[in-house]
Amino acid sequence: MARISITLLMSLFLISSLYAPSLCCPQYQRAALLQFKSLLVGTKQDFLQSWNTTSSDCCQWELVTCHSAATNSEQVITALELSSLTPYLGLDNVTSRALVPLFQIQTLVSLDISFNYIIGEFPGAELANLTNLVHLHMQGNRFSGYIPSQLFSLRNLEQLYMHNNLFEGPLDGNLGKLTRLKEFLLDGNLVSGEIPEEIGNLANLQKLSLAGNKLSGKIPASLSSLKGLAYLDLSHNHFSNEIPPQIGNLLNISYLSLSNNTLSGQIPQQIQNLEQLERLELGNNLLSGEIPMELFHLKNLKRLELWRNKLGEWNIMSRIPKSNLIYLDVSENELSGSIPLWLAKFDLLHLSLSSNKLEGSLPPSLFQSQTLEFLDLSNNRLSGTLPESIGEATDLKSLSLSGNVLSGPIPRSFSKLSRLVWLDLSRNRFSGDLSSVFSPTSSLIIVQLGHNEFSGVLPQSLENLHQLAMLHLHDNKITGEIPSVLSQISGLITLSLRNNYLQGQIPYNLSSLQYLLVLDLSSNNLSGTIPASLGKLSAMARRNDALESYDVMLHLPSIFRITPQRLQPPSLELFWKNNRQELPLGNLGDYIVLDLSSNQLDGQIPSTLGDLQNLKSLNLSHNRLTGKVPESFRGMKNLESLDLSHNNLSGVIAPSLGKLPRLSYWDLSKNRLVGCIPNGPQRDTLDNPRLSANKGGCRMQVQRQIQS
Ligand SMILES: *[C@@H]1O[C@H](CO)[C@@H](O)[C@H](O)[C@H]1NC(C)=O
Ligand SMILES: *[C@@H]1O[C@H](CO)[C@@H](O)[C@H](O)[C@H]1NC(C)=O
Ligand SMILES: *[C@@H]1O[C@H](CO)[C@@H](O)[C@H](O)[C@H]1NC(C)=O
Ligand SMILES: *[C@@H]1O[C@H](CO)[C@@H](O)[C@H](O)[C@H]1NC(C)=O
Ligand SMILES: *[C@@H]1O[C@H](CO)[C@@H](O)[C@H](O)[C@H]1NC(C)=O
Ligand SMILES: *[C@@H]1O[C@H](CO)[C@@H](O)[C@H](O)[C@H]1NC(C)=O
Ligand SMILES: *[C@@H]1O[C@H](CO)[C@@H](O)[C@H](O)[C@H]1NC(C)=O
Ligand SMILES: *[C@@H]1O[C@H](CO)[C@@H](O)[C@H](O)[C@H]1NC(C)=O
Ligand SMILES: *[C@@H]1O[C@H](CO)[C@@H](O)[C@H](O)[C@H]1NC(C)=O
C-alpha cells in the first residue's frame, strides 16, 4: 500500500514538473507586468488583484492573453487589454514612462492602452522591440511630441489607432513602409504639414482617418492607389487646392469626408465612379460651380453634405435622377432659381436648402412625402403661400421656413402634422389666425412665429399643447387678452408675446409656470397692475442648476431618425442691455429675462419681484408705474440689467441698488426719483449718466453702462 502511494506520488511529481513550465509565462514577462502595475497604481493593491507576487503564472492574470510559442510548448503573452484603467482608478497624471516595462514583452501581437489619458512623449526607442505587433491601440491618451519614428519599423502592424492624442509635427514618409496596415486612425491630433506621397504604398489600407489635425497642402493623388479603401476622413484640416480627380479611382469607398477644409474648384465628375459610396461630406469648403447630377445616380449614396460652399446651380441633365438619398444638406451655398421638382421624387428624411438664393413658390409635391422628417428652407427668397399639401407630410418633425417672403394663412391641413415638434416660420408675412397651428393633437415643443402678420386672439386650444417649451409670437398683430390657459402649459420655458396688440391684465396665475426663464410681454397695450404673484415664478426665483444648464440641443436630436449634424439652437429676439438682439437659446440659463416694458401698466412695483434672484434682466420701462423702487431689489444678486425708466416712480433711490454685484447696465431716468446711486462694485470705466427728468439734490447717475 505504502509502496504504491510512493510511486504514485513520484509519478505525479514527475508529471507536474514536466508540464508546469508550459502553464507559466516567462518570468521576465511576469516581472514586466508587475513593474508596470507598480508604476501605474503605486501601492493600490486592490486593483488588478490577480497581478500579484504570490501568483506565479501571469497567463492566468486578468487582461492578459497568452499563446504557446511556436518553438516550444512555453506560453507567452500575446495580448494585453489595458484600456481605460486610469479613469477607473481616478488617476489623470500617469506618464508614458509607465509603459516602458510593457515594451520588454516582445511576444506581444496586440496591445491596447487606449483611454488612459497618459501624459508625455510615446517611448519610441523601447517600442522598436515589439516587432510582432499587429494591433496597437493607443487612442484617448495625451501622448505628445512627434510620432515616434520607430513605429514605422513595426512592419506587421495592421491596426494603428492613435486618435485623440496630442501628437504633432509632420507625417513621416516612412509611414509608407507599414504595408500591411489596414486601419490607420490619427484623427484629433495636432499633426501638420502635407500628407506624404508614400501613403500610396499602403496597399492594404481600408480605413484612414486624419480628421481634425493641422494638415495642409493638396490632397495627394497617390491616395487613389488605395484600391481597398472603404473609409476616408480628411475633414477638419487645412487642405487646399482642388479635390484630385483621381479620387474617382477609390472604387471601394463607402465613406468619404473632406468637410471643413479650404478645398476649391469644382466637385470632380469622376466622383460618379464611386459606386460603393454611401456617405459623401464636402461641407465647409470653397467649392464652386455646379452640383454634379451624377451624384444623384449613385445607387448606394444615402447621405450627401455640400453645405457652406459656393455652389451655384444644379447641373440638370436630361436623365431624371433616381436616387436612394435620404439626407441632403446643400445649405449656405449660392443656389438660385426655384426648388427643383425632382427633389420631391426622393424618399428624403432630411432636406436642408437654407441660406441660398432660392426663389419662387413652395412646390406642393415637396410635402407629398411619407418620409420627410426635417425640412429647412430658411433664409431664401421663397414667396407665395404654404400649400394645402403641407398636411400630407405627416412624418415631419422639424419645419423651418423662416426668413423668406411667404404669405397668406396657415392651411387647415396643417393641423394633421401631429408629429411636428419644431416649427419656425419667423420673419415672413404669414397672416390669419393661429388655430391650425395650435391644434389639439399637436406635439409642438418649439414654436417660432415672430415677425409675421398673424392676427386674431390667442386660441384657447393652446391649453392642449402640454409639451410646448418655447412659444415665440413676438412682432405680430395678435389682439385680445393673454388667455389664462397659458398657465396650463406647464413646461413652458420661454414665452415672448412682444410687440402685438394684446390688452387687458397680465393673468395672475402665469406665475404657475414653474420652468419659465424668459417672459417678454413688452410693447403691447397691457394695463392694470403687475401681479405680485410673478415673484413666484420659480425658475426665476430659486436656483435650479438642472434647468439653467439644460442644453436644448442635447435633447432635440433624439427625435430624428438621422441626427442632423448641424442643428442650430433656436433663437429669440430680446432686448438685452439696451440692444435688440437675436439670442441663441442653446443653454437656457444664459438669458433669464422679465420684460414688461412699453405697456400701460400702473400701480406700484410689487416688492415680490425682488424674490427673482436668478433674473439677469428686468425691464419695466415705459409704463405708468408709481411708488418706490422696492427695497427688496437688493436681493436680485444675478441682475445684470435693470431698466425702470420712463415711469412715474418717486422716492429715494436705495443705496443698496448700486451694490448689486452683477449689475452692469441700469436706467432709472425719466422718473421722479431722488438720490444718488452710489458706485457699486462694478468697474467705473464708462460712465454714461443721462441726467434726466428726475428731481434731486445731487448730480445723479441715473443711467449707467459699464463695459467689461
Ligand atoms: C493573487 O492572484 C491570484 C490569481 O492570479 C488570486 O487567486 C489571489 O487571490 C491573489 N492574491 C491576492 C493577495 O490578491
Ligand atoms: C497623481 O495623482 C494621484 C491621485 O490623484 C496622487 O496621489 C499622486 O501623488 C499624483 N502623482 C503625481 C506625480 O503628481
Ligand atoms: C529589446 O530587446 C533586446 C533584445 O531582445 C533586449 O536586450 C532589450 O532589453 C529590449 N529593450 C527593451 C527596452 O525592452
Ligand atoms: C472593401 O471594403 C470592405 C469594407 O467596407 C472590405 O471588407 C473589403 O475587403 C474591401 N475590398 C477590397 C477589395 O479591399
Ligand atoms: C473647422 O476646422 C477648424 C480647424 O480644425 C476649426 O477650428 C473649426 O472650428 C472647424 N469649423 C467647423 C464649423 O467645424
Ligand atoms: C388660471 O386661472 C384661470 C381662471 O382665472 C383658470 O381657468 C385656470 O385653471 C387657472 N390655471 C391654473 C394653472 O391655476
Ligand atoms: C389700449 O388699451 C386701452 C384700455 O386699457 C384703450 O383705451 C386703448 O384704446 C388701447 N390702445 C390701443 C392702441 O389699442
Ligand atoms: C427696455 O425696453 C425698451 C422697449 O420696450 C427698450 O427701448 C429698452 O432698451 C429696454 N432696456 C434695456 C436695458 O434693454
Ligand atoms: C405721477 O404720479 C403723480 C402722483 O403720484 C401724479 O400726480 C402725476 O400726474 C403722475 N404723472 C404722470 C405723468 O402720470
Side-chain angles (χ1 to χ4, degrees):
M1 187 69 190
R3 276 176 65 108
I4 296 171
S5 335
I6 286 167
T7 2
L8 195 70
L9 273 175
M10 277 183 66
S11 51
L12 274 175
F13 177 73
L14 209 66
I15 290 167
S16 61
S17 60
L18 260 179
Y19 285 91
S22 70
L23 291 172
C24 246
C25 69
Q27 286 310 297
Y28 83 94
Q29 297 197 344
R30 177 174 172 275
L33 292 186
L34 288 174
Q35 201 187 345
F36 167 73
K37 180 181 171 184
S38 79
L39 286 173
L40 185 72
V41 301
T43 51
K44 273 196 185 169
Q45 285 301 331
D46 53 347
F47 179 68
L48 286 177
Q49 280 189 359
S50 59
W51 295 30
N52 62 46
T53 45
T54 51
S55 156
S56 61
D57 184 7
C58 69
C59 286
Q60 306 298 318
W61 294 359
E62 60 202 294
L63 314 180
V64 178
T65 306
C66 291
H67 274 99
S68 298
T71 45
N72 52 41
S73 56
E74 193 187 36
Q75 294 260 313
V76 293
I77 299 178
T78 52
L80 289 172
E81 302 270 343
L82 307 176
S83 176
S84 306
L85 300 182
T86 63
Y88 181 83
L89 285 161
L91 293 176
D92 62 358
N93 56 7
V94 173
T95 69
S96 55
R97 299 313 297 172
L99 298 171
V100 172
L102 297 180
F103 298 151
Q104 293 168 23
I105 307 174
Q106 263 190 294
T107 51
L108 276 176
V109 173
S110 178
L111 176 60
D112 186 350
I113 48 167
S114 60
F115 303 106
N116 282 308
Y117 309 100
I118 298 171
I119 313 169
E121 295 199 7
F122 198 84
E126 293 84 352
L127 175 71
N129 264 5
L130 300 187
T131 49
N132 294 307
L133 269 190
V134 174
H135 308 288
L136 178 54
H137 298 181
M138 59 165 94
Q139 71 271 26
N141 283 291
R142 285 175 290 169
F143 294 127
S144 52
Y146 281 27
I147 297 172
S149 58
Q150 293 86 350
L151 205 53
F152 306 120
S153 60
L154 308 180
R155 301 293 166 76
N156 289 308
L157 276 182
E158 291 179 11
Q159 275 179 350
L160 181 52
Y161 294 174
M162 305 178 71
H163 46 292
N164 300 333
N165 275 293
L166 300 168
F167 287 113
E168 59 185 333
L171 204 51
D172 195 319
N174 284 322
L175 175 66
K177 294 180 180 160
L178 300 180
T179 50
R180 297 200 175 160
L181 216 48
K182 288 185 180 151
E183 297 183 8
F184 180 38
L185 309 183
L186 185 60
D187 42 295
N189 279 285
L190 304 165
V191 176
S192 55
E194 302 197 2
I195 299 182
E197 285 290 328
E198 290 89 337
I199 198 133
N201 298 343
L202 305 181
N204 288 300
L205 213 55
Q206 291 178 359
K207 189 168 181 181
L208 174 62
S209 178
L210 303 175
N213 279 288
K214 296 176 169 180
L215 293 161
S216 55
K218 286 186 184 177
I219 294 175
S222 66
L223 266 180
S224 63
S225 33
L226 307 180
K227 298 277 186 268
L229 204 59
Y231 182 104
L232 176 60
D233 190 351
L234 302 180
S235 65
H236 299 268
N237 277 292
H238 308 304
F239 292 115
S240 54
N241 294 82
E242 304 199 343
I243 300 174
Q246 293 88 338
I247 206 124
N249 296 343
L250 296 174
L251 294 179
N252 198 31
I253 201 128
S254 67
Y255 176 90
L256 175 58
S257 178
L258 306 177
S259 60
N260 200 10
N261 281 290
T262 47
L263 298 165
S264 53
Q266 305 215 356
I267 300 173
Q269 297 289 324
Q270 289 79 352
I271 265 183
Q272 67 178 298
N273 301 338
L274 306 181
E275 294 205 337
Q276 303 301 319
L277 202 57
E278 291 174 18
R279 192 161 163 168
L280 177 60
E281 303 178 357
L282 302 176
N284 205 13
N285 279 292
L286 302 167
L287 300 167
S288 55
E290 297 172 339
I291 298 174
M293 287 307 286
E294 292 79 1
L295 285 175
F296 300 103
H297 292 278
L298 290 173
K299 66 178 193 316
N300 287 306
L301 194 63
K302 297 248 160 36
R303 181 164 177 143
L304 177 56
E305 295 186 23
L306 302 172
W307 53 275
R308 202 175 299 157
N309 276 291
K310 296 171 181 299
L311 297 164
E313 54 196 293
W314 313 91
N315 152 20
I316 305 289
M317 308 188 313
S318 47
R319 263 196 310 169
I320 292 167
K322 177 85 195 85
S323 178
N324 293 313
L325 212 59
I326 55 178
Y327 187 108
L328 178 60
D329 187 347
V330 198
S331 58
E332 296 179 71
N333 276 287
E334 291 167 12
L335 297 176
S336 54
S338 51
I339 297 176
L341 287 173
W342 47 262
L343 272 180
K345 295 197 193 325
F346 302 168
D347 291 328
L348 290 169
L349 264 65
H350 178 111
L351 175 59
S352 180
L353 301 174
S354 68
S355 300
N356 278 288
K357 296 173 185 163
L358 295 167
E359 52 197 18
S361 55
L362 296 169
S365 56
L366 198 58
F367 301 104
Q368 286 160 345
S369 161
Q370 305 302 307
T371 54
L372 200 60
E373 289 186 356
F374 184 102
L375 179 61
D376 187 353
L377 304 175
S378 62
N379 299 318
N380 279 290
R381 298 167 184 168
L382 299 165
S383 55
T385 59
L386 197 54
E388 188 66 36
S389 62
I390 181 79
E392 294 177 47
T394 48
D395 260 15
L396 215 50
K397 291 180 175 153
S398 176
L399 173 63
S400 178
L401 302 173
S402 74
N404 282 291
V405 279
L406 297 161
S407 56
I410 306 300
R412 288 252 158 271
S413 67
F414 192 92
S415 59
K416 293 185 195 149
L417 302 183
S418 58
R419 297 205 174 122
L420 196 64
V421 162
W422 189 352
L423 174 64
D424 187 355
L425 302 181
S426 61
R427 291 179 290 118
N428 276 290
R429 294 180 193 158
F430 287 115
S431 57
D433 70 26
L434 293 166
S435 52
S436 328
V437 176
F438 300 120
S439 85
T441 54
S442 161
S443 307
L444 283 166
I445 296 177
I446 302 173
V447 176
Q448 295 165 279
L449 302 179
H451 289 291
N452 277 289
E453 293 167 17
F454 288 114
S455 57
V457 299
L458 287 172
Q460 290 291 315
S461 56
L462 269 170
E463 70 184 310
N464 300 309
L465 276 74
H466 300 294
Q467 310 197 54
L468 203 57
M470 298 186 174
L471 179 56
H472 303 167
L473 297 173
H474 57 89
D475 302 285
N476 277 287
K477 297 177 174 170
I478 296 165
T479 52
E481 302 199 355
I482 299 176
S484 64
V485 294
L486 268 188
S487 64
Q488 286 169 21
I489 309 175
S490 56
L492 213 53
I493 298 172
T494 61
L495 173 61
S496 174
L497 302 174
R498 160 184 288 273
N499 204 15
N500 280 287
Y501 300 137
L502 294 163
Q503 53 187 8
Q505 305 216 358
I506 298 173
Y508 180 86
N509 60 10
L510 273 192
S511 60
S512 59
L513 296 174
Q514 56 173 323
Y515 298 114
L516 207 61
L517 291 172
V518 173
L519 176 58
D520 186 352
L521 305 178
S522 66
S523 301
N524 279 287
N525 194 16
L526 299 169
S527 55
T529 56
I530 298 174
S533 60
L534 290 189
K536 293 198 199 119
L537 283 165
S538 58
M540 294 185 189
R542 278 190 299 282
R543 194 154 187 88
N544 184 339
D545 292 332
L547 194 58
E548 276 193 42
S549 61
Y550 181 89
D551 186 341
V552 186
M553 302 318 291
L554 291 181
H555 297 268
L556 268 181
S558 63
I559 62 169
F560 302 105
R561 264 180 289 172
I562 303 181
T563 306
Q565 212 118 70
R566 304 180 316 109
L567 212 51
Q568 301 289 317
S571 60
L572 172 59
E573 201 177 281
L574 288 171
F575 266 101
W576 184 254
K577 300 189 181 167
N578 221 19
N579 285 310
R580 196 167 177 159
Q581 303 177 43
E582 188 86 16
L583 300 169
L585 297 176
N587 208 345
L588 291 170
D590 291 350
Y591 306 102
I592 306 182
V593 174
L594 177 57
D595 191 344
L596 308 177
S597 65
S598 299
N599 279 292
Q600 313 283 340
L601 299 167
D602 54 26
Q604 302 206 356
I605 301 176
S607 66
T608 50
L609 291 192
D611 295 340
L612 301 179
Q613 295 198 14
N614 291 335
L615 212 56
K616 295 190 174 171
S617 172
L618 176 62
N619 193 346
L620 304 177
S621 70
H622 299 271
N623 277 294
R624 297 174 184 165
L625 300 167
T626 55
K628 293 200 274 189
V629 178
E631 188 67 25
S632 64
F633 275 20
R634 66 166 183 263
M636 304 175 89
K637 300 270 188 296
N638 287 297
L639 208 58
E640 294 175 25
S641 169
L642 174 64
D643 192 347
L644 304 177
S645 67
H646 298 267
N647 278 293
N648 196 2
L649 299 169
S650 56
V652 180
I653 300 170
S656 54
L657 218 50
K659 297 208 175 93
L660 290 176
R662 301 258 166 88
L663 201 61
S664 62
Y665 181 93
W666 70 60
D667 189 351
L668 304 181
S669 67
K670 309 277 186 206
N671 280 295
R672 298 186 298 127
L673 294 162
V674 183
C676 306
I677 297 173
N679 288 340
Q682 310 88 357
R683 285 194 5 239
D684 282 12
T685 45
L686 188 96
D687 248 359
N688 180 18
R690 194 201 284 167
L691 295 176
S692 64
N694 282 290
K695 299 191 177 89
C698 66
R699 218 177 107 80
M700 283 177 300
Q701 298 170 346
V702 288
Q703 186 203 42
R704 167 201 282 238
Q705 179 158 29
I706 292 153
Q707 286 178 344
S708 43

